[in-house]
Amino acid sequence: MKVTLCKLTVISESLLREEIAELILRLGATGYTMTRVEGRGSRGRRASDFEGRNVKFEVIVSEETADAILEEVAERYFEDFAVIAWLTSAEVLRGNKFVKSSSALPSGEATGKPGPESEV
Amino acid sequence: MKVTLCKLTVISESLLREEIAELILRLGATGYTMTRVEGRGSRGRRASDFEGRNVKFEVIVSEETADAILEEVAERYFEDFAVIAWLTSAEVLRGNKFVKSSSALPSGEATGKPGPESEV
Amino acid sequence: MKVTLCKLTVISESLLREEIAELILRLGATGYTMTRVEGRGSRGRRASDFEGRNVKFEVIVSEETADAILEEVAERYFEDFAVIAWLTSAEVLRGNKFVKSSSALPSGEATGKPGPESEV
Amino acid sequence: MDLLLQNLVSPIVLAFLLGALARWVKSDLEIPDAIYQGISIYLLFAIGLKGGIAMAETPLDALVLPVGATILLGVITPITAFFLLKSFARLDRINASAAAAHYGSVSAVTFVAAIDAAKSAGLPAEGFMPALVAVLEVPGIIVALLFARQSRGGGIKAALHELVVGKSIFLLLGGLAIGALCGPTKMESVTPFFIDPFKGVLCLFLLELGMVAAKRVRDVREAGWRLIVSGCLLPLFHGLLGTLVGHLVGLSPGGAAVLGAMVGSASYIAAPAAVRMALPKASPGIYLTLSLGITFPFNLGVGIPVFLAISKTLESVLP
Amino acid sequence: MDLLLQNLVSPIVLAFLLGALARWVKSDLEIPDAIYQGISIYLLFAIGLKGGIAMAETPLDALVLPVGATILLGVITPITAFFLLKSFARLDRINASAAAAHYGSVSAVTFVAAIDAAKSAGLPAEGFMPALVAVLEVPGIIVALLFARQSRGGGIKAALHELVVGKSIFLLLGGLAIGALCGPTKMESVTPFFIDPFKGVLCLFLLELGMVAAKRVRDVREAGWRLIVSGCLLPLFHGLLGTLVGHLVGLSPGGAAVLGAMVGSASYIAAPAAVRMALPKASPGIYLTLSLGITFPFNLGVGIPVFLAISKTLESVLP
Amino acid sequence: MDLLLQNLVSPIVLAFLLGALARWVKSDLEIPDAIYQGISIYLLFAIGLKGGIAMAETPLDALVLPVGATILLGVITPITAFFLLKSFARLDRINASAAAAHYGSVSAVTFVAAIDAAKSAGLPAEGFMPALVAVLEVPGIIVALLFARQSRGGGIKAALHELVVGKSIFLLLGGLAIGALCGPTKMESVTPFFIDPFKGVLCLFLLELGMVAAKRVRDVREAGWRLIVSGCLLPLFHGLLGTLVGHLVGLSPGGAAVLGAMVGSASYIAAPAAVRMALPKASPGIYLTLSLGITFPFNLGVGIPVFLAISKTLESVLP
Ligand SMILES: Nc1ncnc2c1ncn2[C@@H]1O[C@H](COP(=O)(O)O)[C@@H](O)[C@H]1O
Ligand SMILES: Nc1ncnc2c1ncn2[C@@H]1O[C@H](COP(=O)(O)O)[C@@H](O)[C@H]1O
Ligand SMILES: Nc1ncnc2c1ncn2[C@@H]1O[C@H](COP(=O)(O)O)[C@@H](O)[C@H]1O
Ligand code: NA
Ligand code: NA
Ligand code: NA
């Protein structure tokens, strides 16, 4: 029973690692996967070229949660920090694993029969 | 000539690295890319916090192969191990590179003209 | 205001790291994110098993730029080197961040209201 | 008491505490994964090499009794651990046998700390002790897994393979073999790397270990007093047993105390991996908390000096 | 002059130049991230340990004056730096205070290079100097941030936390504590790892530092002459001040010159992280270029030998 | 024969075998990438430094003949290799020239193992040998690429750049320069890091090399006997040539044998990268198998002791 959820990717200078991890969990994600990456972007350099790497967060979440995280990340970091983010859709088994018990999967997704548009 | 295939992502505690790599190739993938990642999830901790990292497998495969791998991964590991997986679609050049010679690409994909729904 | 762009992924033996980074920026990407990964593929081994790792580039770009990069990568490397690449779509905020000032976002995307096909 | 304090104020113990402190004050200190793994390869290989050099100078028959006794202890300890954990700590069969596997095996760092403490106390241990570490690593885990009465896929056989070719035992045995084959003269050229800086490298390792152990403190609080008491009683009991047996098979007082520390210790590298593969349903939260969160610091701070003191006393008592 | 050349032809300075050369010829030489981090943990911890061992042998009251003077210097230097950078280098308030924070703090590698140069010049510094490094790291950054009159989120309080539990100060203080608690005898066993190879490891670190600094050269060119001059004047002025104060509080000539180098140096590990968090609007392109691209090489090549020469002269002049 | 066995039972050779064993028993032992790279930076830099210190004490004209002879050998060996591989091993032009490039260059580890074996055999080599390694690295690769009559993009020029600023040659030359400029006295402070632990670090490196080489064993089996025989004949022939020339240009018996081992060795770090860029159509499966799977272990086990024995004999034969 595959359901379609969102995959949110956030790339950030590594100094913000703890803050962003906390933000992601606080806004309702059930987990995240973090990778140490290197990057080149418009800002070119990071606070400490030593710390060297950026970090990449990948989070499987419902669309609302993704939007909420994306919004807060944008608001708090986009202006002053080397942070970018994007969304893609992703199909998972066990959709409920990725939704905190308090909230519920939107019906379309829970049935595993998303409309044509949201399907990948 | 782009064709649409699947990208399967599997994240697992690193102890299972060899097993999952073997599983992926056995079920018909022509290769995989593995990244060492860190993670937070519902299970919280892994067998050996020392081994530290999780691993992430990314596999470009046909949809059937993706489903087959996903199913076996789910069956063998989802209950007891820190393993998650998801699917997205991906467009590649040289679609045949990712399909084992024995099987063949479904016609829609081989022509490089997938229907609107399967296009990203 | 989310707009839909492309995410291009290129995986390459690490020897080509500099060349491919240069190629990506030259063809118009505003940045890239690079991860050190390991891989198994049809070619099996790399020039120097010591250098060990492959590298993975992830680039958020407009579709045209993505196609241009993909084409040049394919032409220059696919035959002789351990290089693969794929495209997915990705939704971003601040679409203009990922388009070089000289070019402009295609109207459909700039309005944030992409047609059904380009939506994920 | 003096021995206890003497033991606590050592670079090794203090580095462990510093690591724990780093977690508590939320420092961003972090030993990169690769460095941690590099250090652990170094330590295990170096322990092996050092033991091998000593073995090259030990007549083989001097090893027979200690090795036999060590195997015996490796079979006994998981049994006592299993029953204590099941009855007193009230763990279910799976979790009790998973944790018992850890007590049946041995912690290399506890071993090294004991060697060091013995030397500082003027009771140097036999040089061949690392060979006993290698011997002690395996049987306990096997015995404990038998208690589980179930295990995944390849099960015990797979776990056994996992163990024997697992990097810790492989490096230990490999080091032993190279050291024994080359002997002291040929090893001289690698001594400045593998022997002289050893204890300093160990300090860095304990910094990391302190950080990892500190993460378990919350789990320890949740664990309940029965688990905590078990995590202290087991090393004490096993340690005294090991020390006594060490004397009986003719080890020096230092050697006997070190054997005690080994037997009393719980593995947190080899065993967790093997147990995770064989008994995935057992909770790492329980066995890691016991071995790394309770028993390891207990031995480092209390166990080792106690075994040394007892061993000294035994020497004057036993014939 | 001879001292200058003498200083330039040393493994440390040449390793730095080799690293810079690697970037200029576009070599693919690259120190892996994990190694770089491992080395910096090693260096900071080792500096601390060494200082701690010395402190164990220093009567506490011998520390009072030097520590007090160091704090004072840590408060003064960000102020002079701020005003010079604002008026002469024409930086705006935010960027001037961000850069001032770096001059208020201290570069551990400059410190070590100074210790080494002092020893080579036959003017060994006091053993407790690392304690002064730890003392000097913090106040300057705080003072400088006050000038900014704005700061993000938790602001100065968050930056202070960032600093004090940040890995560089944490390791330095931790090493000092362990060294002081254990004293020279107990530390003997870790000396072959933390003390003997120290300078060699430092060479590798400077190789990397050279590569990082070389990346800044383009920025230096763009920076304009006012910034470049500031990046040389500030360490010179602060360094002379530090050397003089060192003499006044009774340090040996070597110790006074090392204090000068410390005070004259600009941090590029602790400060950038703290400043980035507190003043994200300040441009790293400015403060990193100043501290790492200009002031660090200036001190390494010119500052240290000058402070040593001055200190020698002062000795014969002052009563 | 005794020399052969004597040579095989050394920490270095045994560590290589242990690494290979790790692969064969499918151990999960794994040296992290970053550690492997860190070690190789250390080794190359240390080799350079050591050679540089020796050069500081060598009159320049003592270098002229050996350097000239080394360049000559670097030009000859890829030619013999190319023709043998093309005619006898039946490789096509591209693959033959790709493999020839490896035989024209030199393996740093073989060099170090030879230095060490020479010392153990009581025939220490000249201290300036590392300078010859740097000299030997480049010409052979260029000559071999000329045979290919084709090459990608920038072609030979790009490959040459790749080589000269490639990290192995860069570190070697950089180390040589620093060592020669500073001389023995100033280098004393870095000796405890770069010289004393060198051979121990080399052991760890060979552990990894054993693992990598073992992966090639399947390829070796598939390679066919002609390739295997070539992989043994070439080092033997080149090695004897090198040893002889070494005597003729006045090297000590140990130095001549080490030159033999260098000339007989095949590169597996610098050459593969350069060849991959210049001749992407050549199969790494062939050139890596030859250099790392066959020739490297051959030299380690057989070549080096043979060259030493021959060199000893030559000494009594030649005037
Ligand atoms: N177009 C892009 N595609 C992929 N990653 C990017 C792109 N632009 C920036 N990044 C990543 O985001 C980080 C910050 O970018 P910036 O804020 O533009 O300096 C960079 O270091 C990259 O890792
Ligand atoms: N919502 C999520 N998004 C991304 N990765 C996740 C998520 N949940 C879990 N993971 C990853 O999967 C691993 C195992 O998760 P779990 O089984 O929930 O403990 C974690 O360590 C993460 O790397
Ligand atoms: N089917 C696949 N899925 C994901 N990654 C792949 C796949 N095939 C190859 N790769 C990656 O591309 C690299 C080169 O592959 P190849 O050119 O097939 O040897 C491999 O090392 C992998 O990292
Ligand atoms: Na035990
Ligand atoms: Na300062
Ligand atoms: Na050669």
Side-chain angles (χ1 to χ4, degrees):
Chain A
M1 206 54 70
K2 283 187 274 185
V3 304
T4 300
L5 292 173
C6 268
K7 189 187 85 162
L8 169 69
T9 304
V10 180
I11 292 174
S12 148
E13 46 190 300
S14 53
L15 208 58
L16 300 174
R17 194 178 66 204
E18 304 273 305
E19 281 193 24
I20 291 181
E22 182 270 334
L23 187 159
I24 287 170
L25 296 179
R26 178 163 47 78
L27 292 185
T30 57
Y32 59 79
T33 295
M34 195 197 86
T35 314
R36 290 168 200 260
V37 299
E38 293 163 63
R40 234 342 246 278
S42 54
R43 254 170 291 244
R45 71 187 67 82
R46 268 145 294 119
S48 146
D49 260 315
F50 286 19
E51 298 291 330
R53 302 232 170 144
N54 289 351
V55 289
K56 177 171 86 171
F57 289 90
E58 290 174 294
V59 198
I60 301 288
V61 275
S62 68
E63 206 181 318
E64 304 98 87
T65 310
D67 282 341
I69 297 175
L70 188 55
E71 236 159 79
E72 187 161 338
V73 164
E75 193 185 305
R76 287 176 57 177
Y77 302 113
F78 274 10
E79 195 178 331
D80 295 327
F81 291 96
V83 171
I84 70 169
W86 68 81
L87 282 177
T88 58
S89 72
E91 284 182 279
V92 302
L93 297 178
R94 299 191 304 172
N96 283 311
K97 182 175 176 9
F98 301 98
V99 180
K100 278 220 177 135
S101 41
S102 57
S103 58
L105 274 175
S107 59
E109 290 176 1
T111 62
K113 280 175 192 134
E117 275 181 32
S118 64
E119 199 160 350
V120 184
Chain B
M1 207 55 71
K2 284 186 274 183
V3 304
T4 300
L5 292 173
C6 270
K7 190 188 84 163
L8 170 67
T9 304
V10 180
I11 292 174
S12 146
E13 47 190 297
S14 53
L15 208 59
L16 299 174
R17 195 178 67 204
E18 305 273 304
E19 281 193 24
I20 291 182
E22 183 269 333
L23 186 159
I24 287 170
L25 296 178
R26 178 164 46 77
L27 292 185
T30 58
Y32 59 79
T33 295
M34 195 197 88
T35 314
R36 291 167 199 260
V37 298
E38 295 164 58
R40 235 341 248 278
S42 54
R43 252 170 290 245
R45 70 186 68 83
R46 268 146 292 120
S48 146
D49 260 313
F50 286 18
E51 299 291 331
R53 303 231 170 146
N54 289 351
V55 289
K56 176 172 86 171
F57 289 91
E58 289 173 294
V59 199
I60 301 289
V61 274
S62 68
E63 206 180 318
E64 303 97 87
T65 311
D67 283 341
I69 297 175
L70 188 55
E71 235 159 79
E72 187 161 337
V73 164
E75 194 185 305
R76 286 177 59 177
Y77 302 114
F78 273 11
E79 195 179 331
D80 294 328
F81 291 96
V83 171
I84 71 169
W86 68 81
L87 282 177
T88 58
S89 72
E91 284 182 280
V92 301
L93 297 178
R94 301 190 304 173
N96 283 311
K97 182 174 176 11
F98 301 99
V99 181
K100 278 220 177 134
S101 42
S102 56
S103 60
L105 274 175
S107 59
E109 289 175 2
T111 64
K113 281 175 193 133
E117 275 180 33
S118 63
E119 199 161 349
V120 183
Chain C
M1 206 55 70
K2 284 188 271 181
V3 305
T4 300
L5 292 173
C6 268
K7 190 188 83 164
L8 170 68
T9 304
V10 180
I11 291 174
S12 148
E13 47 189 300
S14 53
L15 208 58
L16 300 174
R17 195 178 65 202
E18 304 273 306
E19 282 193 23
I20 290 181
E22 182 270 334
L23 187 158
I24 287 171
L25 295 179
R26 178 164 46 76
L27 292 185
T30 58
Y32 58 79
T33 295
M34 197 197 86
T35 314
R36 291 167 199 261
V37 299
E38 294 162 61
R40 230 349 242 277
S42 55
R43 255 171 288 247
R45 71 186 66 81
R46 268 145 294 119
S48 146
D49 260 316
F50 286 17
E51 299 292 331
R53 304 233 169 143
N54 288 352
V55 289
K56 176 171 86 169
F57 288 90
E58 289 173 294
V59 198
I60 301 289
V61 274
S62 68
E63 206 179 319
E64 303 99 88
T65 311
D67 283 341
I69 297 175
L70 188 56
E71 236 159 78
E72 188 161 336
V73 164
E75 195 186 302
R76 287 175 60 176
Y77 302 114
F78 273 11
E79 195 179 332
D80 293 329
F81 291 96
V83 172
I84 71 169
W86 69 81
L87 283 177
T88 58
S89 72
E91 284 182 279
V92 301
L93 297 179
R94 300 190 305 172
N96 283 311
K97 182 176 177 8
F98 302 98
V99 181
K100 278 217 179 137
S101 43
S102 58
S103 59
L105 275 175
S107 58
E109 289 176 2
T111 63
K113 281 176 193 134
E117 274 181 33
S118 63
E119 200 162 349
V120 185
Chain D
M1 197 58 224
D2 191 52
L3 202 63
L4 205 73
L5 221 147
Q6 181 69 6
N7 174 64
L8 281 176
V9 182
S10 79
I12 286 181
V13 174
L14 292 178
F16 180 80
L17 291 177
L18 188 66
L21 185 66
R23 270 295 148 274
W24 290 325
V25 302
K26 292 192 199 303
S27 166
D28 66 349
L29 176 63
E30 178 182 52
I31 311 255
D33 226 62
I35 299 294
Y36 167 78
Q37 278 170 41
I39 290 181
S40 81
I41 289 171
Y42 168 88
L43 291 177
L44 290 162
F45 197 40
I47 294 174
L49 289 175
K50 207 173 162 188
I53 299 176
M55 278 175 65
E57 293 174 313
T58 312
L60 257 185
D61 55 357
L63 284 172
V64 175
L65 263 182
V67 164
T70 304
I71 293 179
L72 194 74
L73 289 164
V75 172
I76 293 173
T77 49
I79 301 180
T80 53
F82 178 77
F83 285 109
L84 187 87
L85 290 166
K86 199 151 178 300
S87 60
F88 176 73
R90 297 182 182 165
L91 298 182
D92 60 24
R93 172 173 290 276
I94 301 276
N95 280 309
S97 63
H102 292 68
Y103 284 99
S105 186
V106 51
S107 142
V109 175
T110 308
F111 164 72
V112 175
I115 287 279
D116 195 58
K119 208 170 112 197
S120 300
L123 302 170
E126 279 79 0
F128 59 71
M129 300 300 292
L132 304 187
V133 174
V135 166
L136 189 54
E137 285 244 36
V138 179
I141 300 184
I142 304 303
V143 172
L145 293 185
L146 289 175
F147 279 113
R149 281 204 208 139
Q150 71 159 82
S151 70
R152 180 182 160 265
I156 290 183
K157 230 177 92 193
L160 191 61
H161 181 264
E162 187 78 15
L163 264 180
V164 175
V165 306
K167 66 170 165 248
S168 46
I169 295 182
F170 186 85
L171 283 167
L172 210 55
L173 287 179
L176 278 170
I178 293 182
L181 283 171
C182 290
T185 325
K186 281 186 169 181
M187 295 303 287
E188 226 161 66
S189 58
V190 303
T191 308
F193 180 62
F194 284 114
I195 311 293
D196 302 347
F198 182 87
K199 222 183 118 188
V201 178
L202 186 65
C203 269
L204 273 194
F205 193 78
L206 276 151
L207 201 63
E208 165 76 8
L209 224 48
M211 290 190 265
V212 180
K215 281 194 214 159
R216 303 248 144 244
V217 163
R218 214 190 33 191
D219 294 318
V220 171
R221 279 208 214 102
E222 283 169 14
W225 68 270
R226 286 176 180 275
L227 211 60
I228 298 178
V229 169
S230 308
C232 300
L233 275 188
L234 278 172
L236 209 57
F237 175 61
H238 290 161
L240 295 182
L241 185 69
T243 308
L244 184 65
V245 172
H247 275 278
L248 295 181
V249 298
L251 290 180
S252 70
V258 169
L259 183 63
M262 284 161 56
V263 173
S265 74
S267 162
Y268 42 79
I269 301 186
V275 165
R276 181 80 182 130
M277 293 307 276
L279 301 176
K281 288 200 185 306
S283 159
I286 294 174
Y287 53 72
L288 282 181
T289 299
L290 269 171
S291 68
L292 188 59
I294 305 174
T295 298
F296 176 69
F298 176 83
N299 276 329
L300 206 60
V302 180
I304 294 175
V306 166
F307 305 147
L308 277 169
I310 302 277
S311 193
K312 233 175 167 170
T313 319
L314 276 179
E315 196 193 10
S316 51
V317 174
L318 290 182
Chain E
M1 198 57 225
D2 192 52
L3 201 64
L4 205 73
L5 221 147
Q6 182 68 8
N7 175 64
L8 281 176
V9 182
S10 80
I12 287 182
V13 174
L14 292 177
F16 180 80
L17 291 177
L18 188 66
L21 185 67
R23 269 296 147 276
W24 291 325
V25 302
K26 291 191 201 299
S27 165
D28 65 349
L29 176 62
E30 178 182 51
I31 313 254
D33 226 62
I35 299 295
Y36 167 78
Q37 278 171 41
I39 291 181
S40 80
I41 289 172
Y42 168 87
L43 292 176
L44 290 162
F45 197 41
I47 294 174
L49 289 174
K50 207 173 161 188
I53 299 176
M55 277 175 67
E57 293 173 315
T58 312
L60 257 186
D61 54 358
L63 285 172
V64 175
L65 263 183
V67 164
T70 304
I71 294 180
L72 194 73
L73 290 164
V75 171
I76 293 173
T77 50
I79 301 181
T80 54
F82 177 77
F83 285 108
L84 187 88
L85 291 166
K86 199 150 177 298
S87 59
F88 176 72
R90 297 180 183 168
L91 298 181
D92 58 24
R93 172 174 291 276
I94 301 276
N95 280 308
S97 62
H102 292 69
Y103 284 99
S105 184
V106 51
S107 142
V109 176
T110 308
F111 164 72
V112 175
I115 287 279
D116 195 58
K119 207 170 113 195
S120 301
L123 301 170
E126 279 78 0
F128 60 69
M129 301 300 292
L132 303 187
V133 174
V135 166
L136 190 55
E137 287 244 36
V138 179
I141 301 185
I142 304 304
V143 172
L145 293 184
L146 289 174
F147 279 113
R149 281 204 207 140
Q150 69 159 86
S151 71
R152 182 184 158 264
I156 291 185
K157 228 178 93 192
L160 189 63
H161 180 264
E162 188 78 14
L163 266 179
V164 176
V165 306
K167 66 169 165 249
S168 46
I169 296 182
F170 186 85
L171 283 167
L172 211 54
L173 287 179
L176 277 169
I178 293 181
L181 282 171
C182 290
T185 324
K186 280 185 170 180
M187 295 304 287
E188 226 161 64
S189 58
V190 303
T191 308
F193 180 63
F194 285 114
I195 311 293
D196 303 347
F198 182 87
K199 222 182 119 189
V201 177
L202 186 65
C203 268
L204 273 194
F205 193 78
L206 275 151
L207 200 63
E208 164 76 7
L209 223 47
M211 291 192 264
V212 179
K215 280 194 211 160
R216 304 248 143 244
V217 164
R218 213 189 34 190
D219 294 318
V220 171
R221 278 207 215 103
E222 283 168 14
W225 68 270
R226 286 176 179 274
L227 212 59
I228 299 177
V229 169
S230 307
C232 300
L233 275 186
L234 278 172
L236 210 56
F237 174 62
H238 290 162
L240 296 182
L241 184 68
T243 308
L244 184 64
V245 171
H247 274 279
L248 295 181
V249 299
L251 290 180
S252 69
V258 169
L259 183 63
M262 284 162 56
V263 172
S265 73
S267 162
Y268 41 80
I269 301 187
V275 166
R276 182 81 182 127
M277 294 306 276
L279 302 176
K281 289 201 185 304
S283 158
I286 293 174
Y287 53 71
L288 282 179
T289 299
L290 269 170
S291 69
L292 188 58
I294 305 174
T295 297
F296 177 68
F298 176 84
N299 276 329
L300 206 61
V302 179
I304 293 175
V306 166
F307 305 147
L308 277 168
I310 302 279
S311 192
K312 234 175 167 170
T313 319
L314 275 180
E315 196 193 9
S316 51
V317 173
L318 290 181
Chain F
M1 198 56 225
D2 191 50
L3 201 64
L4 204 73
L5 221 145
Q6 181 70 8
N7 175 64
L8 282 176
V9 182
S10 79
I12 286 182
V13 174
L14 292 178
F16 180 80
L17 291 177
L18 188 66
L21 185 67
R23 270 296 149 275
W24 290 326
V25 301
K26 290 191 201 301
S27 165
D28 66 349
L29 177 62
E30 178 183 51
I31 313 254
D33 226 61
I35 299 294
Y36 167 79
Q37 279 171 41
I39 291 181
S40 81
I41 289 171
Y42 169 88
L43 292 176
L44 289 162
F45 197 42
I47 294 173
L49 289 174
K50 207 172 162 187
I53 299 177
M55 278 176 65
E57 293 174 313
T58 313
L60 257 186
D61 55 357
L63 284 173
V64 176
L65 263 183
V67 164
T70 303
I71 294 179
L72 195 74
L73 289 163
V75 172
I76 293 173
T77 49
I79 302 180
T80 53
F82 177 77
F83 285 108
L84 187 88
L85 291 167
K86 199 152 179 298
S87 61
F88 177 73
R90 296 180 183 168
L91 298 181
D92 60 25
R93 172 174 291 276
I94 301 275
N95 279 310
S97 62
H102 291 69
Y103 284 100
S105 185
V106 51
S107 142
V109 175
T110 308
F111 164 73
V112 174
I115 286 278
D116 194 59
K119 208 171 112 196
S120 301
L123 301 169
E126 279 78 1
F128 60 71
M129 300 300 291
L132 303 187
V133 174
V135 166
L136 189 55
E137 285 245 36
V138 179
I141 300 183
I142 305 303
V143 172
L145 292 185
L146 289 174
F147 280 114
R149 280 203 208 139
Q150 69 158 84
S151 69
R152 181 182 159 267
I156 291 185
K157 228 177 94 193
L160 191 62
H161 180 264
E162 188 79 14
L163 264 179
V164 175
V165 306
K167 66 168 166 250
S168 46
I169 296 182
F170 186 85
L171 283 167
L172 211 55
L173 287 179
L176 278 169
I178 292 181
L181 282 171
C182 290
T185 325
K186 280 185 170 182
M187 295 302 287
E188 225 161 66
S189 57
V190 303
T191 307
F193 179 63
F194 285 114
I195 311 294
D196 303 346
F198 183 87
K199 223 183 117 188
V201 178
L202 186 66
C203 269
L204 274 194
F205 193 78
L206 275 151
L207 200 64
E208 165 76 8
L209 224 49
M211 290 190 264
V212 179
K215 281 194 211 160
R216 304 248 143 245
V217 163
R218 214 191 34 191
D219 294 318
V220 171
R221 279 208 214 102
E222 283 170 13
W225 68 270
R226 286 177 180 274
L227 211 61
I228 298 177
V229 170
S230 308
C232 300
L233 274 186
L234 279 171
L236 209 56
F237 174 63
H238 289 161
L240 295 181
L241 185 68
T243 308
L244 185 62
V245 171
H247 275 279
L248 295 180
V249 298
L251 290 180
S252 69
V258 169
L259 184 63
M262 282 160 56
V263 173
S265 74
S267 162
Y268 42 79
I269 301 186
V275 165
R276 181 82 182 127
M277 292 307 276
L279 302 175
K281 290 201 183 305
S283 159
I286 293 175
Y287 54 71
L288 281 180
T289 300
L290 270 171
S291 68
L292 187 58
I294 306 175
T295 298
F296 176 68
F298 176 83
N299 275 329
L300 205 61
V302 180
I304 292 174
V306 166
F307 306 147
L308 276 169
I310 302 277
S311 191
K312 233 175 168 170
T313 319
L314 275 179
E315 195 194 10
S316 52
V317 173
L318 290 181

